[in-house]
Amino acid sequence: MKESLEIALISDTCGWHCQQLQAAFDAHQAKTSIVSLADCIISTEDQPNIRLPGFTKHKPDGAFVRGVPGGSLENVVFYLDILHGLERLGVHVYNNASMIERSVDKAMTSFLLKNAGINTPPTWVTVDYQKACEISARLIAEHQAVVLKPIFGSQGKDIQLISDISQLPEAESEQPRVYYLQQFVKSTQPHDWRVFVVGDQIVSAMQRYGKDWLHNAALGAECRYTAVSDEMAKLAIKAVRSVGLFYAGVDLMYDINNILQVIEINSIPSWKSLQEISSVNIAEYLVDYFMATRYCSAI
């Protein structure tokens, strides 16, 4: 039997988040190693078939995913193959590849939310530029703005507010562009909510006051700690369940009719801004839940 668990922290860098997680794992006497998916190898010549730096002769007891590198579709598929493979080898992966696939894809997230009966803005996804123009033109004629988002992306990057179809970009190459179009949520309030969910528990939450219509902390939004109502708590937990995640950051907003909407779900959320205004140690909650749900034959 091993003296302690060995956990792979999946991340490109040992930044603030990994340091917080390492301290929380230390409290469980678990040894952590930072592992980039770009440095991993799939090899059918060796056992185990998935080779991680620092785990060349054995597999980790668990893997906490803090970041998945970007790149081409082939790159991303390979990185997710590593996570899928680790699970097949009996390693507890948190959040795992299937969970990340469902939630990192905004199109699938919107689909799952809507089919779970959860309020989320009307959304259309197409690779046809003319259809995207028709959808946008109809909404604009109804005095609705349209938000164009990349289906893969976070922290408010590359999001456009479309108020005229001339602003809708055409594909820049022969490769079709994916148009993820979401009806802009008009609100009477100058902020949204980020609710941090671990398991079936609300760990912490904040209101985010953006400099413009975007409220991401990464874009300079002012963040204020807030308690959440029962309505918000139930909706956030239901949203996380509908996508099937161990933990997530859920973005909520009231529309102009005072109906609470789920805007986005992030399966690899940052929590530095939230931690700065919270009295609880968020990393400890994450690691406690990881340890409680792990699959590990070592103990």
Side-chain angles (χ1 to χ4, degrees), residues 62-80:
F64 190 110
V65 182
R66 182 52 231 149
V68 176
S72 68
L73 178 59
E74 285 187 339
N75 291 143
V76 175
V77 169
F78 169 68
Y79 300 145
L80 293 174

Side-chain angles (χ1 to χ4, degrees), residues 221-237:
E222 178 188 350
C223 301
R224 303 177 188 175
Y225 172 79
T226 185
V228 296
S229 65
D230 288 343
E231 179 190 21
M232 287 184 180
K234 290 177 181 177
L235 184 62
I237 291 169

Side-chain angles (χ1 to χ4, degrees), residues 117-119 230-240 250 252 260-262:
I118 294 173
N119 292 325
D230 288 343
E231 179 190 21
M232 287 184 180
K234 290 177 181 177
L235 184 62
I237 291 169
K238 184 178 180 181
V240 172
V250 183
L252 304 176
L260 192 60
Q261 304 275 348
V262 175

Side-chain angles (χ1 to χ4, degrees), residues 4-19:
S4 63
L5 299 177
E6 297 184 59
I7 308 299
L9 286 182
I10 307 297
S11 177
D12 288 340
T13 59
C14 183
W16 181 89
H17 289 88
C18 283
Q19 292 168 11

Side-chain angles (χ1 to χ4, degrees), residues 19 22-23 36 58 162-163 167 169 181 190 211 221 249 271-272 299:
Q19 292 168 11
Q22 285 179 312
S36 172
H58 62 285
I162 306 296
S163 57
Q167 299 171 307
L181 303 168
K211 295 180 178 180
W271 67 87
K272 187 174 183 180
I299 60 173

Side-chain angles (χ1 to χ4, degrees), residues 14 29 32 49 59 62 80 106 128 140 153 156 173 199 203 217 220 238 256-257 296:
C14 183
Q29 288 76 53
T32 54
N49 303 137
K59 62 187 179 182
L80 293 174
K106 290 184 176 66
D128 189 311
I140 292 167
S173 65
V203 173
K238 184 178 180 181
I256 201 168
N257 297 311
C296 179

